[in-house]
Amino acid sequence: MSPTAAAAEPSATFNVVFLGAGEIHFGTLEGSWNHSLRLETLLGARLRVLALIDPDVPRSRSRVATKHAHDDKHVRQAWQDTLCAASPEEAAEQLRKDGKEEVHLVLIGAPPHVRGALAPGRDLEVRVLKALGHAKAIFLEKPVAAADPLTTEPEAAEVQARLEHWATGGKVVGVGYMLRYLRPIQLMRQLMNEHQLRPMCINARYFMAYEQAVKTAWWDVEISGGPIVEQGTHFVDLLRYLAGASNPALPETILAHTVTHDEPAGQVSKLSFDEKAIVEPHRRIPRVTNAVWKHADGTVASLIHVVGLHAPPYHAELEVIADGWRFALQGAYDPVPKLAVRKPGSSEDEIFEFPNDDPFEHEFEAIISAIDGAGATNGHANGNGIKKASPILSSYVDARQTYNLTWQIRRASERSQKELAARKQNGH
Ligand SMILES: NC(=O)c1ccc[n+]([C@@H]2O[C@H](COP(=O)([O-])OP(=O)(O)OC[C@H]3O[C@@H](n4cnc5c(N)ncnc54)[C@H](O)[C@@H]3O)[C@@H](O)[C@H]2O)c1
């Protein structure tokens, strides 16, 4: 994890550069992600968006125009002088000319297939380090890449090494596994630590609502990596986080099955685009992936990811069993997520509710505090004044381990699908 570069006093303005004018930064009907909104809420009058970088410059301009028309004067002020640039190099050059060289935070929300390696077109972090390395912090979205780690491992390791090297000397790096910050997950971790519990098993269910998922690249395994690499990654990461760092997953134990797009059980009726016209059959994503694997202490982890619900929100929950205990996270994406806890000696669940719990907000509180000192955010979104933020909970090194595990799950599922096809062909 990166060291914390906490300053004694928060700076007068907090200067941000966004890479990517897409849904993660500006919102969608599909879910609650919208990083610009979280920063506006947490930083209020201090926020200055120096640049929005995206090769699709008209898309950026339209995003900025929407901010200029915002009701809140602090939002209008934050985006008043935002530069729309096509590349990090162009933005850095212009910001230098304009004398705007103090950058607190660079947010990388470009698609994962342009990141995580050294080859041109896949080397966005390396370019950001070169052009905007004077920034205090870099925050990257999950997953850390989209290419198969088997073929890109030396390059991916080099990207990690460069980010780690950069982070020495008080710089901050974080990755967007926001569900780690969910209050029920933090309470679960706290109780497990207090009672020195070792999970016997963890069972996770992530049912995605696909009707509003309109980005066609997401539906193409060759571009996105597929639903476990791109999205189930949130829960693979939580399974790793709850199993504990000293209890790593054993990739050689993974067993996995899918329901593919061409099987009778894989038919979906509410797609918002013509998949048959846009995505070639061998590139279409599986609708269900069900995987099970072991961890070093014996813990059995199981995950089912389904592209099967229609309207949002997603239905995402998980359970941890440790000797005498059951922890159940209910509604990871709901406005009021819950944790049910059953303790030794009790046959009843104790229910903890977390109204308006917003893991994205906690994630940004952690990042802003790491850059700018505790108490650096408004904290007004929860109406409870300035809060003590958690440390950054997802490092690049750790996020790469989640990434590698998701690819191992994908490969295991493809192996079993091939074996099944071969058996069918041989009449078994
Ligand atoms: N944490 C979450 O819950 C969550 C939710 C949604 C998306 N994400 C992640 O955010 C990332 C972006 O997803 P999105 O939904 O915003 O995608 P999107 O397709 O809506 O937007 C991506 C934008 O990046 C731009 N882009 C492409 N190459 C670029 C480059 N070299 N430099 C700068 N911009 C570039 C594209 O033109 C596009 O405008 C992905 O990694 C995705 O997995 C995370």
Side-chain angles (χ1 to χ4, degrees):
M1 205 141 299
S2 301
T4 293
E9 286 293 324
S11 58
T13 62
F14 190 96
N15 305 334
V16 177
V17 171
F18 285 90
L19 281 101
E23 296 179 355
I24 188 64
H25 288 159
F26 295 92
T28 161
L29 293 174
E30 194 189 334
S32 63
W33 42 96
N34 184 339
H35 289 349
S36 62
L37 174 67
R38 293 329 188 282
L39 287 175
E40 288 155 6
T41 304
L42 290 170
L43 290 161
R46 294 177 64 217
L47 178 64
R48 295 290 178 281
V49 181
L50 300 186
L52 172 55
I53 302 168
D54 192 310
D56 187 347
V57 176
R59 190 179 198 194
S60 295
R61 291 212 176 102
S62 131
R63 298 298 197 187
V64 172
T66 306
K67 298 291 188 184
H68 287 171
H70 204 282
D71 289 345
D72 183 336
K73 71 170 190 238
H74 291 145
V75 174
R76 294 197 299 276
Q77 182 186 47
W79 294 83
Q80 187 175 307
D81 297 319
T82 304
L83 167 75
C84 293
S87 69
E89 294 80 10
E90 184 192 319
E93 175 67 12
Q94 191 57 48
L95 291 176
R96 194 184 54 73
K97 283 186 189 153
D98 295 344
K100 294 182 180 172
E101 292 204 82
E102 183 177 41
V103 180
H104 293 92
L105 174 62
V106 176
L107 291 166
I108 304 186
H113 59 263
V114 304
R115 312 189 254 117
L118 299 177
R122 289 184 174 276
D123 59 345
L124 191 58
E125 301 87 345
V126 173
R127 288 173 60 199
V128 166
L129 284 177
K130 259 194 204 147
L132 294 161
H134 52 284
K136 293 183 196 296
I138 295 179
F139 175 75
L140 305 100
E141 258 318 310
K142 48 52 62 176
V144 294
D148 186 342
L150 275 185
T151 56
T152 50
E153 174 54 29
E155 288 185 53
E158 177 62 22
V159 174
Q160 176 180 310
R162 291 195 199 183
L163 280 165
E164 277 184 313
H165 177 71
W166 180 79
T168 57
K171 304 275 189 173
V172 176
V173 178
V175 182
Y177 283 107
M178 78 292 174
L179 291 177
R180 289 186 176 210
Y181 297 85
L182 207 60
R183 297 290 191 231
I185 292 294
Q186 284 307 312
L187 179 58
M188 208 187 297
R189 286 260 303 187
Q190 184 190 318
L191 290 169
M192 285 165 68
N193 284 339
E194 277 170 16
H195 296 276
Q196 298 188 341
L197 303 178
R198 196 192 307 268
M200 301 169 86
C201 64
I202 310 176
N203 178 272
R205 300 173 292 282
Y206 192 114
F207 304 155
M208 183 250 190
Y210 69 84
E211 198 176 351
Q212 305 285 353
V214 292
K215 276 183 303 181
T216 53
W218 191 85
W219 295 83
D220 184 331
V221 277
E222 292 294 310
I223 303 175
S224 69
I228 293 293
V229 171
E230 212 289 333
Q231 183 177 72
T233 187
H234 278 301
F235 263 33
V236 173
D237 187 68
L238 277 188
L239 286 159
R240 288 187 54 247
Y241 187 53
L242 294 170
S246 63
N247 181 22
L250 304 175
E252 64 278 13
T253 63
I254 299 172
L255 300 169
H257 286 288
T258 52
V259 175
T260 54
H261 70 93
D262 51 355
E263 292 179 299
Q267 302 311 302
V268 288
S269 59
K270 277 278 187 181
L271 280 177
S272 301
F273 70 104
D274 186 355
E275 188 186 35
K276 289 194 173 69
I278 294 178
V279 189
E280 287 181 62
H282 69 283
R283 296 168 66 134
R284 289 181 202 152
I285 63 168
R287 311 321 192 188
V288 177
T289 307
N290 196 356
V292 57
W293 65 90
K294 294 272 291 176
H295 285 247
D297 287 349
T299 308
V300 174
S302 55
L303 168 69
I304 182 158
H305 179 276
V306 183
V307 181
L309 298 180
H310 290 174
Y314 298 175
H315 182 95
E317 52 190 26
L318 62 77
E319 283 163 291
V320 178
I321 310 287
D323 184 33
W325 294 76
R326 172 181 173 268
F327 301 95
L329 162 70
Q330 296 158 3
Y333 285 90
D334 291 355
V336 188
K338 297 184 187 67
L339 181 68
V341 181
R342 180 167 155 175
K343 295 179 177 163
S346 170
S347 53
E348 301 277 319
D349 281 344
E350 189 176 351
I351 309 288
F352 297 85
E353 295 196 349
F354 299 85
N356 302 319
D357 192 24
D358 180 351
F360 291 104
E361 191 178 298
H362 307 321
E363 179 177 67
F364 278 105
E365 281 167 347
I367 294 158
I368 294 166
S369 297
I371 298 166
D372 216 10
T377 67
N378 281 343
H380 65 253
N382 288 342
N384 58 358
I386 290 168
K387 295 163 285 183
K388 191 177 176 325
S390 92
I392 290 175
L393 297 178
S394 179
S395 68
Y396 193 81
V397 177
D398 198 60
R400 270 193 71 216
Q401 290 176 25
T402 293
Y403 183 66
N404 290 342
L405 186 56
T406 61
W407 266 90
Q408 282 147 343
I409 294 169
R410 173 179 155 176
R411 271 190 230 110
S413 72
E414 288 172 348
R415 257 193 322 271
S416 57
Q417 199 64 33
K418 268 190 200 136
E419 283 165 14
L420 190 66
R423 273 208 295 278
K424 272 189 191 158
Q425 215 170 21
N426 295 333
H428 296 297

